[in-house]
Amino acid sequence: MATNLNGTVKLWLLGLQSRAAAVQSDAETARTASQQAGIWRESVELDDLDRLGGLFTYSEPKQLYYTVETEALLGNGDPRLAAQAEDAVNSFSDPDTPFWAFGDLAGAQ
């Protein structure tokens, strides 16, 4: 439904799909959605919601946090995933960044 959108909301929908599929133990759908979000990240054109920032944008740190959570929900964990999780937490540690949101910090932690 979001194929005509070029802002980060398109990626956010894929992130939500990925996490939901992981909760249902559907690893193939979860990983496909995460990979597609990574591919589409390269063609993002920020829109009005993205310019508002905070909860209205799907920042790269948020995308990383969702990707890590997807893998954790699938029962995966390794040093690379742990390092990505630390990167996500560190990205949300400064409340002065334009993409900061309390919920994202809490989720990443």
Side-chain angles (χ1 to χ4, degrees), residues 21-89:
V23 167
Q24 297 175 337
S25 300
D26 182 353
E28 182 178 347
T29 299
R31 290 202 179 104
T32 298
S34 284
Q35 289 169 354
Q36 191 65 49
I39 292 166
W40 286 354
R41 170 65 66 183
E42 297 175 19
S43 63
V44 163
E45 296 174 20
L46 299 182
D47 60 18
D48 293 345
L49 289 175
D50 292 311
R51 288 191 249 317
L52 287 172
L55 288 174
F56 295 104
T57 189
Y58 190 64
S59 65
E60 289 185 54
K62 183 181 241 172
Q63 186 171 350
L64 177 60
Y65 140 47
Y66 275 37
T67 300
V68 168
E69 186 173 38
T70 293
E71 289 300 320
L73 288 167
L74 290 170
N76 299 319
D78 58 26
R80 182 187 61 80
L81 191 63
Q84 289 178 320
E86 286 181 31
D87 288 346
V89 170

